[in-house]
Amino acid sequence: MQQKITMGINGKLIVPDQPTIPFIEGDGIGPDIWKAAVRVFDAAVEKAYNGERKINWLKVLAGEEAFNQTGEWMPESTMDAFKKYLISIKGPLTTPVGGGIRSLNVALRQELDLFVCLRPVKYFEGTPSPMWHPENVNMIIFRENTEDIYAGIEYMTGTPEAKMLLDFLVNELHVKKLRFPETTSFGIKPVSKDGSERLIKSAIQHAIAHKLPSVTIVHKGNIMKYTEGSFKNWGYELAEREFGGDVYTWRQWEKTKAESGEAVANEEMRISSMGGKIIIKDAIADNFLQQALLAPQDYSVIATLNLNGDYISDALAAQVGGIGIAPGANVNYLTGHAVFEATHGTAPRFANTNTMNPSSLILSGAMMLEYMGWRDAAELITNAVGKTIRNKTVTIDFYNLLKEGTLLKTSEFGEEVVRNL
C-alpha cells in the first residue's frame, strides 16, 4: 500500500512511517550515483528508527531514459507522480537539444511552482578547497526560482515577435537606448512583489527556525532599480511588516542613526545593539561575491533573484569543494512540493564508469530527510559523509587534489558512508 506525504491545514507536512517517494535515476552518471546514494538513505533510516520507518521508492522516468522508452523527455505520468507524492528526488538530467523543453529542471520548477531553489553551502573538514579558511563558509542560499531571466521570455532578432517588441519599445515607449536595434534579441526580466515576498519570507522563516544571525538580500538594484531594486525594498518592507519582533533591518538602523546622530563603527557593534534579533541586510551582487571570499563568516542566509542565485550558488560551492559535493532542492513551502537533486551535470563520458562522487545526491537526500522531519537520519548521513572525507577515503575528484588518500569507486564511497553512519 502506497502511503503519501500530505500537507496539513497548519502548513506542516504529514509524513507517514513508510512514505512513497518518487525518484529519477538521471542521465549519464545518474544511475551510478543513485545506486550509491539510495543504499545510504535506506541504511540511515533503518539505523535511526530501528526499522520502524522506511521509504518506499517509486521509480519514474525523465530525460534520456524516458525519451528512449516513451518518446517523451518528461512523461505526464512522471509529473503526475511528483504532484501526487509531494516530495521527490532526482539525479542529473540531460537538457534536450533542438527544440522541445528548454530544460527539464526548469520545466519541473515552473510546473510545480517550486519558487525556492535551496542551496546550502558548508565545508566538510578535509575537503580540498582553494580557500585559506573554508571552514568560515556556512551559508544557505534561497534563490528565487520562477521569475527573472529564467522565466524564458525571449525573442530572437529577425523574428516577427522581436520586430513587434522593437516597434513597441521605440514607437510607444520612446526607448532610445538600443545601440543596434535591427540586430537586437530581447529578453524580458519579470520581478513581482508577490514572487519576491514569498521567497524572502521563506528565507527569514528559515533563519528564525534555525536561530541564524542574518538574512542578506543580494541584488543589483543600483542598476536595475525597478526590478532588483524593488526586490530589495519589498524585502525590507516585508521583514518590518511581518517579522518586526524577530528581526532588525539595516533600513531601520539607518533611520535610527539619522534621527539620533549616532554612528556605529563596525558590524560587531551593530549586532550587539540588536538585542539578539536577526539582522536583515542587503548587498550589491558583485560586492557580495567579493565579500564571500574575503569575509564569508559575515553571511548566513542569502535571499536573491534567479540569475544572481545561479552564479552565487556555484561560486560558493567552489569554495568548499565544488558542485560535486553541493546538495540542492527546489521547494514550494506553501504546497509542500519539493524536488531534491544532484546539482551537477550528467557527465556523460563518465557514465557507467562507477568513478564519480555521489556526495551531491547523498547530501541532497539528507536535506530531503530533514525536510520530512526525519532529522535523526539526516544528521547520521551528514556526519557520515564528513567522517568519510576526513578519513581521506574519497572518489577520484578529491583524490587527485589530496597529498594522501584512498581512492574509492562510486559504489565503494557509498559503502564507506554506510559503515560510518
Side-chain angles (χ1 to χ4, degrees):
M1 179 180 176
Q2 292 180 337
Q3 298 182 25
K4 293 194 304 181
I5 297 172
T6 57
M7 176 62 84
I9 57 174
N10 60 354
K12 294 185 177 181
L13 291 173
I14 300 172
V15 182
D17 286 339
Q18 295 191 19
T20 295
I21 295 181
F23 72 94
I24 298 170
E25 283 189 345
D27 298 324
I29 63 172
D32 280 350
I33 64 173
W34 172 256
K35 288 172 189 173
V38 73
R39 287 199 60 215
V40 174
F41 305 152
D42 289 341
V45 171
E46 169 73 24
K47 184 176 180 65
Y49 306 111
N50 298 313
E52 295 178 3
R53 291 177 177 176
K54 178 185 177 183
I55 294 174
N56 293 313
W57 299 105
L58 174 66
K59 182 175 180 178
V60 294
L61 300 178
E64 285 184 336
E65 184 180 13
F67 186 77
N68 292 337
Q69 292 189 28
T70 70
E72 298 179 277
W73 291 96
M74 179 67 72
E76 187 175 346
S77 58
T78 296
M79 194 67 76
D80 289 344
F82 277 31
K83 292 177 181 177
K84 178 180 179 180
Y85 294 105
L86 290 191
I87 293 176
S88 51
I89 188 167
K90 56 177 281 296
L93 292 176
T94 298
T95 297
V97 177
I101 299 174
R102 289 163 59 95
S103 164
L104 296 172
N105 292 326
V106 172
L108 277 171
R109 295 167 189 172
Q110 295 285 349
E111 182 71 19
L112 299 174
D113 195 23
L114 305 173
F115 62 86
V116 173
C117 180
L118 193 65
R119 292 282 296 272
V121 184
K122 181 180 179 181
Y123 179 68
F124 287 90
E125 183 184 347
T127 302
S129 168
M131 299 282 288
W132 282 9
H133 294 288
E135 69 277 5
N136 290 339
V137 181
N138 189 1
M139 304 182 212
I140 185 161
I141 302 153
F142 282 71
R143 168 191 172 192
E144 203 290 319
N145 223 3
T146 61
E147 298 190 316
D148 197 10
I149 299 300
Y150 277 69
I153 308 172
E154 285 191 295
Y155 304 101
M156 181 65 184
T157 182
T159 62
E161 295 84 0
K163 187 177 187 308
M164 288 174 61
L165 186 53
L166 174 63
D167 289 343
F168 177 75
L169 291 171
V170 173
N171 298 321
E172 299 295 328
L173 297 183
H174 308 294
V175 172
K176 301 182 185 301
K177 296 181 179 179
L178 294 170
R179 185 62 58 86
F180 303 107
E182 299 305 323
T183 59
T184 296
S185 292
F186 295 96
I188 295 178
K189 178 185 178 78
V191 177
S192 70
K193 183 177 182 182
D194 289 348
S196 300
E197 285 189 344
R198 67 180 184 173
L199 181 281
I200 295 168
K201 183 174 183 177
S202 297
I204 295 173
Q205 287 173 331
H206 180 90
I208 293 171
H210 293 82
K211 297 181 172 57
L212 299 173
S214 68
V215 175
T216 304
I217 302 169
V218 178
H219 61 94
K220 194 64 179 170
N222 57 326
I223 303 299
M224 292 172 275
K225 300 181 184 301
Y226 303 130
T227 52
E228 305 226 357
S230 293
F231 177 77
K232 177 197 74 171
N233 294 333
W234 290 330
Y236 277 137
E237 291 167 6
L238 170 88
E240 293 164 9
R241 182 179 70 244
E242 298 194 20
F243 298 96
D246 296 304
V247 307
Y248 196 94
T249 72
W250 271 14
R251 193 170 74 163
Q252 290 171 314
W253 174 259
E254 293 298 333
K255 181 180 178 182
T256 300
K257 187 172 67 171
E259 291 173 349
S260 65
E262 295 177 357
V264 170
N266 56 47
E267 182 75 354
E268 288 70 26
M269 293 176 66
R270 184 193 297 268
I271 291 173
S272 68
S273 67
M274 297 303 107
K277 292 185 177 183
I278 293 169
I279 294 176
I280 311 298
K281 53 186 178 178
D282 74 275
I284 303 297
D286 46 344
N287 183 56
F288 171 78
L289 286 168
Q290 175 182 229
Q291 293 304 315
L293 291 170
L294 298 175
Q297 68 276 4
D298 289 347
Y299 300 96
S300 179
V301 179
I302 308 302
T304 191
L305 285 165
N306 210 329
L307 186 60
N308 291 334
D310 196 4
Y311 300 150
I312 289 168
S313 296
D314 283 7
L316 290 180
Q319 296 179 209
V320 296
I323 58 174
I325 196 173
N330 301 281
V331 185
N332 183 322
Y333 287 98
L334 304 177
T335 65
H337 285 97
V339 179
F340 296 82
E341 63 179 352
T343 60
H344 51 73
T346 59
R349 70 190 182 101
F350 296 107
N352 303 313
T353 62
N354 194 27
T355 57
M356 294 294 98
N357 191 343
S359 294
S360 175
L361 190 58
I362 291 172
L363 293 172
S364 295
M367 287 177 66
M368 181 186 73
L369 293 168
E370 182 174 355
Y371 182 71
M372 291 163 53
W374 294 12
R375 293 183 178 85
D376 291 337
E379 187 174 346
L380 280 176
I381 293 173
T382 303
N383 291 340
V385 169
K387 182 176 180 181
T388 304
I389 294 171
R390 284 197 305 275
N391 291 342
K392 297 185 178 182
T393 47
V394 293
T395 48
I396 188 68
D397 54 334
F398 285 4
Y399 178 80
N400 285 338
L401 298 172
L402 295 173
K403 292 182 179 179
E404 299 176 354
T406 301
L407 176 62
L408 300 181
K409 293 185 177 297
T410 307
S411 56
E412 293 170 339
F413 184 88
E415 291 166 3
E416 193 68 17
V417 174
V418 170
R419 276 194 288 272
N420 288 328
L421 286 171

